[in-house]
Amino acid sequence: MTTEGPPIRRLADWDAATLRDLADGHGTPLYVLDQRRVRENVANLRAAFHEESISYAVKANTVRATLETIAETGIGAECASAGELQRAVDAGFDRLRYTAVNPPAGDLDHVVDLAADPPRDLDLVITVGAADAFEALAERGYDGPLAIRVNPGVGAGHHAKVTTGDAPKFGVPYDRVSELASEIVSRGFDLVGLHAHAGSGIHEASDLAAHRELVSRMGELARELDHDLDFLNVGGGLGIPYRPTDEPLDLDSVAAATREAVGELDARLGIEPGRYVVADAGVLLTTVNTVKPTPETTVVGVDAGMTTLLRPAMYDAYHEIRTLAPDADERESVTATVAGPICETADVLGRGRELPGPERGDVLTIGNAGAYGYEMASNYNSRPRPAVVSLDGGESRLAVERETLSELTRLEIEQ
C-alpha cells in the first residue's frame, strides 16, 4: 500500500478509448470497476486514519473481484447480512463485524454456525441493535464477542432515506445502552465494543457537524459505561463529490475532527467507509437506443435504467454523464434528458444535461457508479442484470457475467 492516488477520480480522468473498447467487447449496460483505484482509496484512508481501525462497509459493492482487492489491503469488513458476511469470508477477509438490522432467524443461524465452525481463524464480532437480537443469539448458544449498536439521536447523509443515526429502526436508544450492556456482561458474555452510524454520503458541512456530534456522544457513552471496551466504531458514510464542481473531502481534517470529538478513550476508534472506497472506482457504460426531440428537451433513450443504476430514481442522486463518441468535440451541444427502458416516469438517469448532439449507437459513461450501482441492480420489468468488468493496471477481465433472459426464470417452478 504505497500508492496514494488523488483525492477523487473525476469522470474525465477515465480513458475514453479504453471504455469504448470494453463496451465493444462486452456489450452494454456494463459496469467497469478499477481495482487500482480501489487500492488508492484505501491508501488515502489509511494515510488519514492511520491510528484507527478501518473496515470496509461491504454493502457498497460485493463484486468478488473488488472484495478480494480490498481484503488484500488488510482492512476489515463490516457486513449487514449473512450473505455479505459469507461473501467477505469467501473473499479472504479475516476481521469481520456483523452489524445487521433486525436480522432474520435464518441469518442468525448462519452467522452463529459460522462463528462456531469457521473455515480459518476469524476475528468475528456480532453487533446487536436490540435486546431481542441479543436474546436470539443467546438462545442459539452463541458465546463469542458482542458489540452494541447505539442510536445516538443524531443523523446525517445525502438523503433522508439513508440517514440512520436518528431513525428508530437503527440501534438501541442511547439512554438504554448502559442497561443492556450490564445485562450482557452479567450473563457472562464478552462485550467488546459500541457501534453507531450517522448515515450515508456525509459530505456537506452540516453533515460533518452532525457526524462530529455523534462521535462526541459516543465518546461520552463509552466513558460512562462501567465496562472496558476494545473498540468504539463511529460508522462510515464518508461522501464523495458527485458533481464535477464539488470538492472532495479533506480526509486529514475529517480524521483530526473525529479524534478531537471522541475525546480521551482507552478503546480503539474505528470507522467503516464503503462509498469512499469504491464509488469513483466504477463507471457504468450504456448505449443510446433512441434520440427523441421534444418541445421540452431531447430525450436520449439508453439501454441502462433504474434497474441498472437505481440511485437517481431512489434518491434523486446526481451522476455525471459523458459521451464516448470519438467526434464528440465536433458536435453541437444539446440539453438532454437521459432516460432508461423501464416503464416508469422515475426511470431517468439525468435531466438537463448538456451533451454533444447524441446519436443512436453512441456509448455514454456514467460516473461514480462503483458504490450502490451493481449492488442495487434488479430484475424489475424482467430486465437481466448487467455484466461487470474488472480492470487492474492494463489488464481487464469479466468479473460478473451478463444475466440472460432464460436465467430470469431459473428459480421458478412450472405448474
Side-chain angles (χ1 to χ4, degrees):
M1 293 303 300
T2 58
T3 301
E4 296 180 21
I8 189 68
R9 187 180 192 181
R10 306 288 186 178
L11 186 55
D13 296 331
W14 290 79
D15 182 68
T18 298
L19 295 179
R20 284 196 300 268
D21 288 345
L22 291 174
D24 288 342
H26 298 280
T28 60
L30 179 71
Y31 277 101
V32 180
L33 299 174
D34 186 344
Q35 307 306 326
R36 182 167 57 184
R37 181 58 190 173
V38 170
R39 295 188 191 95
E40 290 174 352
N41 287 336
V42 174
N44 288 334
L45 285 163
R46 274 190 156 155
F49 291 93
H50 49 87
E51 299 175 3
E52 286 72 42
S53 174
I54 303 174
S55 293
Y56 169 62
V58 172
K59 67 178 181 177
N61 189 306
T62 61
V63 171
R64 177 67 175 261
T66 297
L67 287 182
E68 289 177 346
T69 295
I70 299 170
E72 288 168 0
T73 70
I75 67 173
E78 188 273 334
C79 308
S81 70
E84 287 183 5
L85 184 65
Q86 189 62 55
R87 283 175 179 260
V89 171
D90 293 344
F93 286 92
D94 294 321
R95 180 164 54 84
L96 303 127
R97 303 290 179 259
Y98 174 66
T99 312
V101 181
N102 303 325
D107 274 34
L108 290 181
D109 291 341
H110 184 86
V111 175
V112 170
D113 288 346
L114 178 64
D117 186 22
R120 58 184 181 276
D121 187 22
L122 297 176
D123 173 8
L124 171 61
V125 177
I126 297 181
T127 301
V128 295
D132 274 355
F134 165 60
E135 294 295 345
L137 287 170
E139 291 166 2
R140 286 165 170 77
Y142 176 74
D143 59 0
L146 288 170
I148 298 175
R149 179 164 186 168
V150 180
N151 186 315
V154 180
H158 70 85
H159 194 280
K161 292 179 180 178
V162 295
T163 300
T164 59
D166 57 356
K169 174 180 177 178
F170 298 95
V172 177
Y174 189 88
D175 59 359
R176 299 180 188 174
V177 173
S178 180
E179 179 183 353
L180 179 58
S182 297
E183 173 72 8
I184 290 173
V185 173
S186 68
R187 290 170 59 176
F189 287 86
D190 187 13
L191 180 64
V192 297
L194 297 178
H195 167 95
H197 179 61
S200 185
I202 296 170
H203 189 263
E204 301 299 325
S206 59
D207 294 334
L208 292 168
H211 186 261
R212 286 193 295 271
E213 175 65 19
L214 176 145
V215 173
S216 177
R217 292 189 185 187
M218 292 299 295
E220 291 176 6
L221 180 61
R223 287 186 288 272
E224 290 172 0
L225 285 184
D226 187 23
H227 184 75
D228 292 333
L229 301 172
D230 293 339
F231 67 85
L232 171 63
N233 189 327
V234 294
L238 299 177
I240 65 158
Y242 280 89
R243 295 177 182 271
T245 55
D246 293 342
E247 292 298 321
L249 286 176
D250 182 341
L251 282 184
D252 289 336
S253 296
V254 172
T258 301
R259 295 185 192 107
E260 180 182 1
V262 78
E264 291 295 326
L265 200 65
D266 291 333
R268 189 178 187 189
L269 187 62
I271 62 168
E272 53 180 46
R275 181 190 312 270
Y276 191 92
V277 176
V278 293
D280 73 346
V283 294
L284 171 62
L285 306 182
T286 183
T287 300
V288 175
N289 298 325
T290 58
V291 179
K292 180 172 62 177
T294 74
E296 298 86 2
T297 184
T298 297
V299 178
V300 181
V302 296
D303 61 3
M306 61 187 287
T307 56
T308 321
L309 179 64
L310 181 60
R311 297 188 72 253
M314 184 77 168
Y315 308 122
D316 295 321
Y318 182 98
H319 287 263
E320 189 179 1
I321 301 174
R322 170 191 176 198
T323 182
L324 297 179
D327 62 348
D329 293 340
E330 302 169 11
R331 300 185 187 181
E332 185 176 349
S333 177
V334 301
T335 302
T337 295
V338 180
I342 309 304
C343 190
E344 295 279 350
T345 306
D347 183 35
V348 174
L349 299 175
R351 292 182 171 86
R353 305 302 180 87
E354 294 297 316
L355 294 175
E359 298 177 4
R360 186 156 47 91
D362 285 350
V363 176
L364 306 182
T365 180
I366 300 173
N368 290 329
Y372 308 105
Y374 183 81
E375 193 65 20
M376 299 179 79
S378 76
N379 293 132
Y380 180 51
N381 272 194
S382 290
R383 294 282 177 185
R385 286 177 296 177
V388 181
V389 164
S390 174
L391 293 180
D392 204 342
E395 301 295 324
S396 67
R397 67 178 179 88
L398 189 64
V400 181
E401 293 182 349
R402 186 177 308 283
E403 207 168 24
T404 65
L405 289 176
S406 62
E407 289 170 334
L408 292 175
T409 57
R410 66 184 177 85
L411 299 179
E412 296 180 11
I413 300 172
E414 294 184 10
Q415 301 299 315

